């Protein structure tokens, strides 16, 4: 049993009641008498213009106690409701439902006859459906006598998805979705309840602008415009010409999509009186009706489709049409004669046009009298149905309701006479006299279908007529009800029904315009109340007649006028449109809306009803009309024929109509299945794109495309002279239906090329569509074999359904055996990359293998077609074709490619697919001639070690010849995991081609599969490829990536450490051959070269190194640094670390001090350190070699200890000299010269220490200690230029000794300046280095490891410092941090810095960040400010720029900039205890500090592409502004509760993108519920902030619980003396005995 959820709120008290077993009466303080006081002063609310509810001024605004505020906007109400209007709740009764008495508040009347006492009644009908009704407490009022909708006698059988809150005074109600947090869906406190005898009004605020529905009108877009639109609802015979007037149907129903979660709800007002609905910008709706009761249904769904399901449960599921009615249909008004009808039939038959149904309009009748036929022009009409049936076709006749009062040509009009006798007509107000009007036959009477005698008469007349003129279904028209004169022949009386005090904005502003007098009488009541039910009641009667006539055959009815529930019995067409380009467009929103209304059998008159249709228009309309569920070409009297062949049998109209109707008929099994699913489950048939892709905001307003079900996207051409159509391609794999080719676009707006003979048809991956070979009618096509079209999705999977019965029986069969023994002839599979190697089919008993002739694979379209028989299970094994590049060095052509035994295949594609690729099947490659290398490796060994349950290592090597291996210590488990049951993976070896395959056991996903062509093992080229389990791959570096997620469209990234500023695809400072891959099961794995679980945990930095840091290359003197320090203190900007770049050195030489410009720097550093500051200085590895002996100890001792890199002894005993920053002694550098000349003339020779040698480590440590003890104190080291970088290429003179293949290998990766060889901007590859073991190696092998310098030398100070390095390699994070190098002052660098940080942390380097405001180029104020905000959340937060550029430190921009920088850095410093704890957890557990969203929310695929936001650990979400001029950023709120850091308020959304206000002073920060963040009051530096007390930010989750931890130590000790605190908080706040959540989080 469900628990009811009610909340009744007054000004003083809150009551929470959850009871079923007894009623509770709550008596609230009585309100005053509701007599109106003309002197009431309106109490006007302080609201925005978009929230005004119109009080309908007629120069009496203030007299109505409304608010008068004229504007220069005429569509915004000038007169709007005050707080004085409405009702108050007097008492409430709670049982299974709620009942309350409402009393009108004291306020002037709007339109008189106000009802003072009302009854409010609410039923919790189901878990997803709430009904509430407001009516007169003392007198019965008209209510819709709906055939299907009734009060329920049972209670919900599950928890309610909504909560009803009742507000006392003024009365209002709020409907909440019971999510966490709750969402307010429908809030009537937005405006007052007005309830008079002939004016009822209720307003409600909605949660979004995504409003769809209301009708029937022409809506030019599917999503409503909320800018003050008022839509009248009252059935009317009017032209759908694009105005806002009321049309044929009456639909006070809409759906509201709440947000990207897809959660939606529907609102239905069960009221048939004339009304209007206003939609306004709040967003809000106001219903105004002039009679009946307010009977609302709120339908809650998890998706828009779920809301349609709920609505059709309420009003009745759609009927399932007969199969033949899904065929193409032809009609027109006034063929002139049956002979002309047959000419049209025959010419379209001769054109082999698929065509099932022919109509005749009222011209078949004798003088337009129903139940007659013209015995002259249509003399053979009784035999016409047989004529159609002979060719498998059907015949439909039209019936209007109005009955002529005249006689027939040859005698009495028997139908009229029988009607008179049975008293079946709508009457005058006296209830006796038939009301006379005028329609097509002249003077008429009107059947009253609410009268059982009339229903009986109608059934009898149709039965009689069917015996005379055989037909297959009925088309009913003019049933709004239409009348050509106003009201009736006698006119209409002057009374309140015909002239009510308020008339909605209906067409003509006259209630009885083109219909009956409102005081006419029906059995159900006054025409005033039942007018809009006329078509509904006629449908009910006609359905009874259909059953009587056709018995067990299904037949069908379709109607022009409709009301909710009609879809249970009938279809609908969109009325008398025009042959113009507007109406072809507007038909699509109309079809989509009627699918919301529960009438999926819907379409528009193809080629237009009125006016002559041009050939181009009719061509385009036939194309799109082939995909209307109800597909009928129909036009009006007096206009040219427009059946396809009327344009000529060889016309484009005919050829394109035939083509697309054949496709329609091919897909009819799929369309029929959709109708069955609509009939059973309430699904839409024609479907808005938004219903399938609601999480994509771009789909919310799509109205020029539509879908059949979930899997067919239709993109028509809707404008003249157009071949390029702007089309949206949602986020899925899509295949061109006609070609089978997978399109490359997704989640993108494209220009789709659709020439005159084409419409866009695309199949969505993941669907299986049943099909059938078409024929000219469904009678014949149903005899043909069937087939399946399988469109594979991203997971290479698909599913589908088929419903099949005889297509005619009134009861749809679920267990049907086809008498024709239909077989599945073909299965077409789209998205199969290669021809199947093997196809097996099973009929349940035997398994057979298809022969080659039964399999057709088209490699250009990636489609296979299998010829089959009856019911089969099919599976296939695919050959692998991954286009592994067989000529990676470039410069390939067909001859070169084929000379390697590879395949040359050029494809036209937007991607750079490699034209030369390996053959499908190949053996382990032996490279005797490949790339002309010196020798081949012919035998290899593979060792696989199961390191643990979650990690493994494999090594492929030459067992006979030792090769270089990376000399890095790995933190491997002491013993491998030998128990196979404890391993989460299994490994298998594929022999042909060789490959290793790793499968995750839990999901059976293959996460590594190198059994693909192209494995290569030669001396200088090792290549291995793998198939990835998904498109989501992250990592590889160090190169600049435009997105965190890799683009997999044939990208190459060179990895080779180089002094190269970041740029797209340029190899930069570090080498990280590591990637992380996500799997379809939403698990993740890391792959290859030194897996991150093995490379060691990140270093724990000193606490002070988490403070803000300042640096620049180009400080002129120590005075400039002193001034900067002074200004930063004066501005009170938090700031911990000052740097000196190479400026402080004498001629840029390590371990020296410029005694001219920086003589006082040591004293300044001592002063700063005494005030809690820290100092870091830079070191480059290159040592100047041109100094006088004895003058430069660093070089002299290096020579003595033989620590510099040299040539191999067989070539020379000399040092391999380079040039870097140090200058020759006694030179003056001329900066006006070009760079290369400066290097040649002024840069000294430089030697490079070989850090692999133990002696080098000792020498390096001695130099650092000597500098610390004798020259200047420091707290950390900044190591630069350690790729190693050189300003000459290879060596001075650029003549590298030794093997040229090492400098220019046969295969050169795609490196920057690769044509200059590997030596470009570094050392010769033949240079020799000596490992600690004594092994001699070439720089070629160890170049990328140059970064490694001995860690023990870094503890010179005796305390924990920090080392920041430019070049990195896996495991660098064990001892150093890394900044992202010499970036540029440009807006795009902000985003790229986030991507770069996220990539670096994959390599277990926690201390990372970019140079804030950019290194190169001049920074711009706004950009630098936004970068300061972003950089405040870099783990390594340093502002740094280069020489000859303006300063960009915070105080350089002025006081305002400084203040904003101070504010954001104060937040950083406040949260440093949390950041330090994250650093500790990274150090101990290997966690990331900066964290992509997907790391925390991997099950939410929306996070997989997000790189404009990031997290600190699990709990702080950072959403920076990354673009110029923005004040709003689009950010994703993951699917949990979040709190705004700045305000402490809970964010009201989850799992969706939202717009976040971002003024220049703000960066958006959000705290995740369930977490506790330690904090500390900030000060000017961490020395002082650490003296302050600690605090906790507690962000409670829905259960009132939060967890967190704190790591705390002295922040700089080398030994681990620490305090680690784990915190759990559970907070419950109670008031008046009720539990209430703590709203937000506490700083306490």
């Amino acid at each position: 049993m469900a628990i009811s959820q009610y909340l009744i709120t007054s000004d003083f008290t809150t009551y929470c009641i959850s009871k079923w077993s007894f009623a509770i009466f709550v008596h609230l303080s009585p309100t005053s008498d509701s007599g109106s006081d003309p002197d009431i002063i309106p109490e006007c609310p302080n609201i925005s213009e978009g929230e005004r509810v119109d009080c309908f001024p007629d120069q009496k605004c203030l007299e109505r106690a409304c608010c008068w505020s004229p504007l220069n906007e005429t569509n915004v109400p000038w007169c709007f409701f005050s707080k004085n209007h409405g009702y108050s709740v007097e008492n409430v009764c709670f049982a299974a439902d709620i009942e309350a008495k409402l009393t009108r508040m004291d306020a002037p009347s709007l339109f008189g006859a106000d009802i003072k006492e009302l009854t409010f009644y609410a039923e919790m009908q189901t878990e997803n459906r709430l009904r509430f009704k407001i009516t007169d407490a003392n007198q019965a009022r008209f209510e819709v006598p709906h055939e299907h909708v009734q009060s329920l006698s049972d209670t919900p059988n599950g928890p309610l998805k909504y909560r009803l809150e009742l507000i006392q005074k003024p009365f209002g109600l709020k409907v909440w979705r019971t999510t966490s947090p709750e969402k307010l869906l429908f809030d009537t406190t937005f405006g007052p309840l007005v309830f008079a005898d002939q004016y009822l009004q209720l307003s409600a605020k909605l949660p979004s602008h995504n409003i769809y529905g209301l009708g029937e009108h022409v809506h030019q877009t599917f999503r409503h415009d909320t800018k003050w639109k008022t839509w009248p609802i009252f059935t009317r015979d009017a032209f759908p010409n694009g105005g806002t007037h009321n049309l044929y149907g009456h639909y006070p129903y809409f759906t509201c999509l709440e947000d990207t979660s897809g959660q939606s709800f529907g609102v239905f007002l069960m009221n048939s009186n004339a009304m209007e609905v206003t939609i306004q910008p709040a967003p809000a709706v106001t219903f105004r009706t002039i009679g009946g009761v307010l009977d609302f249904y709120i339908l809650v769904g998890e998706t828009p489709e779920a809301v349609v399901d709920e609505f059709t449960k309420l009003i009745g599921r759609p009927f399932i049409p007969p199969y033949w009615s899904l065929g193409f249909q032809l009609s027109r008004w006034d063929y002139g004669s049956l002979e002309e009808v047959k000419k049209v039939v025959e010419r379209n038959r001769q054109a082999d046009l698929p065509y099932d149904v022919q109509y005749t309009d009222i011209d078949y009748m004798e003088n337009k009298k129903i139940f007659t036929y013209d015995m002259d022009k249509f003399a053979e009409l009784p035999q016409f149905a047989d004529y159609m049936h002979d060719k498998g076709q059907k015949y439909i006749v039209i019936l209007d309701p109005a009955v002529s009062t005249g006689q027939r040509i040859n005698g009495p009009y028997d139908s009229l006479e029988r009607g008179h006798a049975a008293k079946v007509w709508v009457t005058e107000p006296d209830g006796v006299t038939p009301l006379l009007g005028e329609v097509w036959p002249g003077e008429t009477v009107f059947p009253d279908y609410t009268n059982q005698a009339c229903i009986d008469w109608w059934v009898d007349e149709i039965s009689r007529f069917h015996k005379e003129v055989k037909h297959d279904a009925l088309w009913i028209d003019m049933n709004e009800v239409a009348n050509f004169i106003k009201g009736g022949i006698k006119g209409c009386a002057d009374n309140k029904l015909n002239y009510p005090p308020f008339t909605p904005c209906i067409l003509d502003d006259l209630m009885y315009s083109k219909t009956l007098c409102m005081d006419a009488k029906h059995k159900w009541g006054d025409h005033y109340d039942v007018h809009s039910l006329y078509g509904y009641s006629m449908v009910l009667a006609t359905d009874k007649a259909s059953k009587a006539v056709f018995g067990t055959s299904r037949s069908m009815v379709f109607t022009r006028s409709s009301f909710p529930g009609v879809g249970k019995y009938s279809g609908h067409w969109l009325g008398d449109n025009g042959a113009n380009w507007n109406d072809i467009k507007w038909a699509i929103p109309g079809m989509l809306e009627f699918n919301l209304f529960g009438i999926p059998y819907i379409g528009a008159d193809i080629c237009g009803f009125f006016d002559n249709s041009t050939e181009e228009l009719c061509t385009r309309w036939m194309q799109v009309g082939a995909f209307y569920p109800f597909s009928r070409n129909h036009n009006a009297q007096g206009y040219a024929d427009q059946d396809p062949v009327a344009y000529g049998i060889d016309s484009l109209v005919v050829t394109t109509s035939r083509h697309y109707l054949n496709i329609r008929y091919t897909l009819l099994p799929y369309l029929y299945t959709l109708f069955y699913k609509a009939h059973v489950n309430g699904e839409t048939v024609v479907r808005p794109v938004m219903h399938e892709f609601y999480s994509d905001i771009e789909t919310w307003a799509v109205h020029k495309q539509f879908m059949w079900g979930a899997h067919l996207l239709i993109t028509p051409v809707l404008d003249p002279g157009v071949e390029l159509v702007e089309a949206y391609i949602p986020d899925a794999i899509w295949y061109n239906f006609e070609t089978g080719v997978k399109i490359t676009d997704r989640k993108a707006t494209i220009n789709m090329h659709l020439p005159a003979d084409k419409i866009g048809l695309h199949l969505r991956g993941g669907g299986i569509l049943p099909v059938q070979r078409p024929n000219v009618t469904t009678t014949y096509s149903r005899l043909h074999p069937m087939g399946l079209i399988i469109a594979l999705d991203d997971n290479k999977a698909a599913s589908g359904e088929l419903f099949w019965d005889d297509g005619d029986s009134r009861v749809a069969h679920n267990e049907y055996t086809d008498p024709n023994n239909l077989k599945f002839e073909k299965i077409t599979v789209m998205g199969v990359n290669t021809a199947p190697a093997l196809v097996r089919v099973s009929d349940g008993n035997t398994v057979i293998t298809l022969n080659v002739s039964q399999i057709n694979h088209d490699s250009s379209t990636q489609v296979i077609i299998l010829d089959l028989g009856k019911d089969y299970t099919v599976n296939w094994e695919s050959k692998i074709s991954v286009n592994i590049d067989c000529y990676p060095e470039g410069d390939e052509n067909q001859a070169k490619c084929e000379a390697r035994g590879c395949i040359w295949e050029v494809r036209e594609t937007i991607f750079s697919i490699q034209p030369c690729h390996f053959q499908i099947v190949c053996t382990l490659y032996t490279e005797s001639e490949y790339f002309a290398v010196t020798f081949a490796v012919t035998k290899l060994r593979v060792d696989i070690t199961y390191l643990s349950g979650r990690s493994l290592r494999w090594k492929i090597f030459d067992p006979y010849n030792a090769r270089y291996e990376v000399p890095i210590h790995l933190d491997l488990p002491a013993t491998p995991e030998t128990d196979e049951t404890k391993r989460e993976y299994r490994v298998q070896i594929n022999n042909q081609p060789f490959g290793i395959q790793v499968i995750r056991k839990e999901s059976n996903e293959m996460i590594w599969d190198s059994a693909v062509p192209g494995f290569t093992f030669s001396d200088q080229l090792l290549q291995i490829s793998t198939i990835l389990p998904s498109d989501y791959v992250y990592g590889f570096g160090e190169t600049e990536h435009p997105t965190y997620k890799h683009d997999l469209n044939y990208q190459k990234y060179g990895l080779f450490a180089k002094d190269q500023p970041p740029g797209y695809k340029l190899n930069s400072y570090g080498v990280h051959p590591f990637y992380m891959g996500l799997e379809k099961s939403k698990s993740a794995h890391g792959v290859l070269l030194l897996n991150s679980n093995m490379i060691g945990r990140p270093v724990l930095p000193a606490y002070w190194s988490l403070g803000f840091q300042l640096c620049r290359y180009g400080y002129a003197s120590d005075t400039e640094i002193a001034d900067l320090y002074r200004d930063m203190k004066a501005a009170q900007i938090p700031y911990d670390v000052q740097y000196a770049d190479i400026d402080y050195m004498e001629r840029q030489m390590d371990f020296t001090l410029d005694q001219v410009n920086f003589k006082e720097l040591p004293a300044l550093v001592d002063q700063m350190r005494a005030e809690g500051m820290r100092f870091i200085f830079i070191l480059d590895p290159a040592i100047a070699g041109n100094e006088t002996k004895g003058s430069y100890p660093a070089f002299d001792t290096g020579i003595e200890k033989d620590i510099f890199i040299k040539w191999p002894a067989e070539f020379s005993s000399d040092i391999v000299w380079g040039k870097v920053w140090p200058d020759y002694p006694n030179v003056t550098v001329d900066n006006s010269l070009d760079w290369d000349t400066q290097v040649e003339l002024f840069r000294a020779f430089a030697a490079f220490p070989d850090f692999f040698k133990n002696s080098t480590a000792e020498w390096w440590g001695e130099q650092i200690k000597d500098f610390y003890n004798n020259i200047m104190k420091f707290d950390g080291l900044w190591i630069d230029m350690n790729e190693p970088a050189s300003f000459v290429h290879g060596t001075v003179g650029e003549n590298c000794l030794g093997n040229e293949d090492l400098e220019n290998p046969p295969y050169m990766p795609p490196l920057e300046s690769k044509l200059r060889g590997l030596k470009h901007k570094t050392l010769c590859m033949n240079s020799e280095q000596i490992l600690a073991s004594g092994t001699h190696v070439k720089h070629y092998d160890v170049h990328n490891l140059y970064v490694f310098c001995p860690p023990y030398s870094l503890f010179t100070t005796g305390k924990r410092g920090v080392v920041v390095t430019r070049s990195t390699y896996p495991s660098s994070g064990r001892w150093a941090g890394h900044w992202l190098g010499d970036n540029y002052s440009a807006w795009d660098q902000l985003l790229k810095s986030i991507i770069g940080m996220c990539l670096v942390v994959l390599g277990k380097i926690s201390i990372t960040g970019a140079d804030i405001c950019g290194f190169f180029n001049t920074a711009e104020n706004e950009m630098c400010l936004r970068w300061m905000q972003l950089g405040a959340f870099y783990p390594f937060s340093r502002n740094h720029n280069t020489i000859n550029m303006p300063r960009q430190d915070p105080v350089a921009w002025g006081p305002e900039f400084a203040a904003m920088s101070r504010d954001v850095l104060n937040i950083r410093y406040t949260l440093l205890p949390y950041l330090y704890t994250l650093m500790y957890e990274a150090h101990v557990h290997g966690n990331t500090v900066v964290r992509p969203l997907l790391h925390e929310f991997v099950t939410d695929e929306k996070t997989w592409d997000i790189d404009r936001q990031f997290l600190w650990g699990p709990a702080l979400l950072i959403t920076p502004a990354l673009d110029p001029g923005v004040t709003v950023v689009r950010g994703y709120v993951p699917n949990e509760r979040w709190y705004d850091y700045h305000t402490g308020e809970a964010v009201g959304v989850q799992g969706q993108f939202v717009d976040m206000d971002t003024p220049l002073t703000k960066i958006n920060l959000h705290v995740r519920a369930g977490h506790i963040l330690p904090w500390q009051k900030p000060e000017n530096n961490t020395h002082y902030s650490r003296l302050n007390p600690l605090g906790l930010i507690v962000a409670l989750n829905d259960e009132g619980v939060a967890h967190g931890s704190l790591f705390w130590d002295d922040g700089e000790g080398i030994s681990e003396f620490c305090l680690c605190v784990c915190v759990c908080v559970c907070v419950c706040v109670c008031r008046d005995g009720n539990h209430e959540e703590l709203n937000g989080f506490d700083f306490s």
Side-chain angles (χ1 to χ4, degrees), residues 415-729:
S415 297
L416 174 68
E417 299 305 325
R418 287 188 288 268
H420 282 323
K423 298 182 179 179
V424 303
W425 316 120
V426 176
T427 70
E428 300 277 1
D430 62 9
V432 177
T433 308
L435 184 145
L436 299 178
E438 182 180 317
V439 196
W440 293 116
E443 184 182 272
T444 56
V445 288
F446 299 89
D448 174 11
Y449 296 105
T450 70
N451 180 351
Q452 184 59 48
C454 177
I455 296 171
D456 296 339
W457 165 82
W458 185 250
V459 170
D460 180 60
E461 294 301 324
I462 290 174
S463 300
R464 291 170 183 267
F465 185 63
H466 182 262
K467 291 174 183 176
E468 187 176 7
V469 178
K470 191 185 301 183
H471 52 271
D472 298 291
L474 292 169
W475 164 27
I476 53 178
D477 194 9
M478 304 294 288
N479 52 344
E480 289 73 30
V481 57
N483 182 5
F484 292 168
I485 58 176
K486 294 177 181 178
I489 288 177
K490 298 179 182 178
C492 298
D494 184 358
N495 58 39
K496 68 176 186 179
L497 298 183
N498 292 314
Y499 300 95
F502 172 80
T503 300
C505 58
I506 58 176
L507 192 61
D508 297 335
D509 296 318
L510 182 66
M511 294 295 297
Y512 54 82
S513 176
K514 212 170 182 185
T515 189
L516 312 183
C517 295
M518 294 295 107
D519 55 0
K521 297 297 182 186
H522 301 251
K523 281 294 183 181
W524 282 357
D526 293 325
H527 193 73
Y528 180 89
D529 292 316
V530 303
H531 167 85
S532 287
L533 297 174
Y534 192 89
Y536 173 69
S537 62
M538 185 181 181
V539 166
L540 297 180
T542 307
D543 178 70
K544 286 182 168 59
S546 178
K547 290 174 180 174
V549 169
F550 299 106
T552 59
S553 292
R554 200 173 302 165
S555 188
M556 70 161 186
V557 176
F558 69 103
T559 176
R560 191 168 74 175
S561 185
S562 60
F563 187 86
V566 157
K568 182 178 176 181
Y569 305 102
S570 175
H572 171 64
W573 86 106
L574 294 173
D576 299 341
N577 60 359
N580 59 71
W581 292 96
N582 280 331
D583 284 23
I584 189 177
K585 293 183 185 74
W586 298 338
I588 295 175
M591 287 197 303
L592 298 177
E593 286 170 346
F594 272 90
N595 272 264
L596 301 186
F597 299 154
I599 306 183
Y601 191 74
I602 182 70
D605 284 346
I606 296 171
C607 301
F609 182 68
F610 289 114
D611 303 324
N612 293 321
S613 183
T614 65
E615 184 170 354
E616 181 190 11
L617 175 61
C618 199
T619 297
R620 291 303 194 185
W621 213 325
M622 282 297 299
Q623 290 168 358
V624 65
F627 299 93
Y628 292 170
F630 169 54
S631 181
R632 182 182 72 163
N633 180 313
H634 177 51
N635 69 327
Q637 185 180 50
Y639 299 107
D641 285 347
Q642 62 185 37
D643 59 280
V645 185
Y647 294 89
I649 198 163
D650 296 321
S651 66
L652 181 59
V653 179
V654 170
T655 57
T656 196
S657 298
R658 184 190 303 117
H659 176 71
Y660 284 108
L661 287 173
N662 272 315
I663 290 177
R664 176 191 180 89
Y665 277 55
T666 298
L667 289 169
L668 282 187
Y670 173 61
L671 181 61
Y672 191 54
T673 301
L674 293 178
F675 270 103
Y676 175 75
K677 292 168 78 173
H679 177 62
V680 173
N681 302 323
E683 298 181 20
T684 56
V685 174
V686 160
R687 191 165 299 173
V689 179
M690 173 270 290
H691 275 218
E692 288 295 315
F693 300 94
Y694 43 74
S695 62
D696 181 356
I697 62 173
E698 297 300 322
T699 68
W700 294 354
V702 171
H703 61 267
K704 294 184 179 179
Q705 297 167 274
F706 58 96
M707 299 180 74
W708 269 12
H711 291 108
L712 182 66
L713 177 65
I714 296 113
T715 306
V717 179
L718 305 174
D719 292 289
V722 167
E723 292 193 351
L724 282 179
V725 173
E726 185 177 278
Y728 188 70
I729 306 300

Side-chain angles (χ1 to χ4, degrees), residues 977-1002:
E977 180 54 76
T978 57
D979 186 345
E980 195 276 337
T981 62
K982 294 181 179 178
R983 298 198 291 262
E984 296 183 11
Y985 56 86
R986 66 178 187 274
V987 180
Q988 57 196 33
I989 302 294
N990 192 75
N991 292 323
Q992 189 73 2
F994 163 76
I996 299 168
Q997 296 169 323
V998 183
I999 299 98
R1000 185 185 293 275
K1001 290 180 181 178
E1002 182 181 17

Side-chain angles (χ1 to χ4, degrees), residues 1105-1116:
S1105 71
L1106 303 182
F1108 180 60
Q1109 312 182 24
L1110 278 179
C1111 180
R1112 71 173 278 138
Y1113 167 33
Y1115 288 129

Side-chain angles (χ1 to χ4, degrees), residues 94 101 111 124 173 222 275 354 383 438 467 568 660 735 737 954 963 971 1044 1065 1117 1176 1217 1331 1453 1514 1610:
F94 295 93
K101 178 177 285 188
F111 299 102
M124 284 58 179
L173 59 88
F222 179 47
M275 68 175 70
Q383 295 80 42
E438 182 180 317
K467 291 174 183 176
K568 182 178 176 181
Y660 284 108
Y735 301 88
F737 178 87
W954 67 86
R963 293 174 60 84
D971 290 337
Y1044 182 45
K1065 291 192 177 181
S1117 65
I1176 293 177
W1217 296 103
L1331 304 182
W1453 300 94
D1610 66 0

Side-chain angles (χ1 to χ4, degrees), residues 1441-1569:
N1441 72 328
T1442 191
I1443 195 167
N1444 298 323
M1445 294 294 150
R1447 282 174 49 189
Q1448 61 187 35
D1449 51 84
V1451 291
W1453 300 94
E1456 184 178 6
F1457 189 105
M1460 287 188 276
S1461 299
R1462 179 180 62 244
D1463 292 344
V1464 73
L1465 287 171
N1466 273 330
I1467 295 174
R1468 177 189 181 89
Y1469 275 61
T1470 298
L1471 294 172
L1472 282 187
Y1474 174 60
L1475 179 60
Y1476 191 55
T1477 301
L1478 294 177
M1479 289 287 178
Y1480 172 76
E1481 291 173 348
H1483 176 61
V1484 175
H1485 304 297
N1487 299 352
T1488 54
V1489 175
V1490 161
R1491 198 166 296 180
L1493 272 65
L1494 72 90
H1495 282 218
E1496 283 295 311
F1497 303 96
V1498 69
T1499 59
D1500 181 354
E1501 294 187 25
K1502 295 176 189 174
T1503 67
W1504 294 7
D1505 289 298
I1506 292 174
D1507 50 22
R1508 298 177 71 89
Q1509 298 168 274
F1510 60 98
L1511 293 155
W1512 266 12
L1516 184 69
L1517 175 64
I1518 297 139
T1519 307
L1522 304 176
D1523 299 294
V1526 300
T1527 56
V1528 174
V1529 293
R1530 189 79 175 161
Y1532 187 66
V1533 181
N1535 196 23
E1536 291 196 19
R1537 173 178 286 192
W1538 294 84
Y1539 297 96
D1540 187 313
Y1541 175 88
H1542 302 287
T1543 67
E1545 295 179 356
V1547 178
V1549 297
Q1550 296 180 17
Q1552 59 182 285
F1553 286 92
V1554 297
D1555 288 334
M1556 302 179 183
D1557 289 333
T1558 311
L1560 269 179
T1561 56
K1562 178 183 178 183
I1563 182 171
N1564 278 282
L1565 305 172
H1566 292 90
V1567 180
R1568 184 179 179 184

